[in-house]
Amino acid sequence: MVSFELNDRKKIGLGLTGFGVFFSFLGIVFFFDKGFLAMGNILFISGVSLTIGPKSTMQFFMKRQNFKGTISFGVGFFFVVIGWPVIGMILEAYGFIVLFSGFWPTLAVFIQKIPILGWVFQQPFVRSFFDRYRGKRVPV
């Protein structure tokens, strides 16, 4: 079994990723405030880079199957910075879904193991939805 060593760099990376998600949430709550959204994007990308390392980050974003998501996320970030946050967030959301679609099976298994929430996700109609995507490879 492979253990996930949580050194200081990874702790800082996870913190930056969390703050990035928080600032993006604040940007959406405050009617697509471009300052919060841009700060959230910068923190999220730097947090992911610190968590998995710069080499793995470049390999992940430059994979052929992730290229559409990378371009969409980058163009969305550009639109947020120039002052069109709604269009930028739509493009970023699409890019995020394309980039991280390989993690959904792992997330589904994790959610099914949470005590109370897991019971809901283990119901037959919900489980059939999750079973459709299980067995795919995680992209990192």
Side-chain angles (χ1 to χ4, degrees):
M1 181 173 182
V2 177
S3 89
F4 182 71
E5 180 186 334
L6 200 61
N7 57 19
D8 289 338
R9 182 180 54 87
K10 290 180 182 176
K11 288 178 187 176
I12 292 170
L14 289 173
L16 288 176
T17 304
F19 277 119
V21 170
F22 178 69
F23 274 95
S24 295
F25 174 74
L26 282 179
I28 292 170
V29 168
F30 289 131
F31 302 110
F32 294 97
D33 181 52
K34 72 176 185 174
F36 279 130
L37 292 174
M39 183 62 75
N41 288 335
I42 292 168
L43 290 172
F44 180 77
I45 294 297
S46 60
V48 168
S49 297
L50 281 175
T51 302
I52 65 174
K55 183 179 177 183
S56 296
T57 302
M58 290 303 291
Q59 287 176 348
F60 175 71
F61 283 108
M62 295 302 163
K63 278 185 185 176
R64 189 162 198 61
Q65 69 250 25
N66 292 347
F67 212 58
K68 189 190 307 184
T70 301
I71 290 173
S72 176
F73 193 84
V75 170
F77 177 72
F78 176 73
F79 278 137
V80 167
V81 170
I82 66 169
W84 295 356
V86 176
I87 295 171
M89 285 305 294
I90 290 170
L91 285 171
E92 283 184 10
Y94 173 73
F96 185 82
I97 290 170
V98 170
L99 280 172
F100 295 103
S101 62
F103 292 108
W104 301 132
T106 306
L107 182 64
V109 170
F110 175 74
I111 287 174
Q112 288 178 349
K113 295 189 185 287
I114 295 174
I116 295 171
L117 191 62
W119 178 81
V120 173
F121 283 93
Q122 288 179 359
Q123 297 304 314
F125 59 92
V126 179
R127 189 176 195 135
S128 67
F129 176 75
F130 283 138
D131 287 343
R132 219 179 311 161
Y133 298 106
R134 186 166 297 156
K136 293 189 178 178
R137 190 178 67 81
V138 177
V140 174

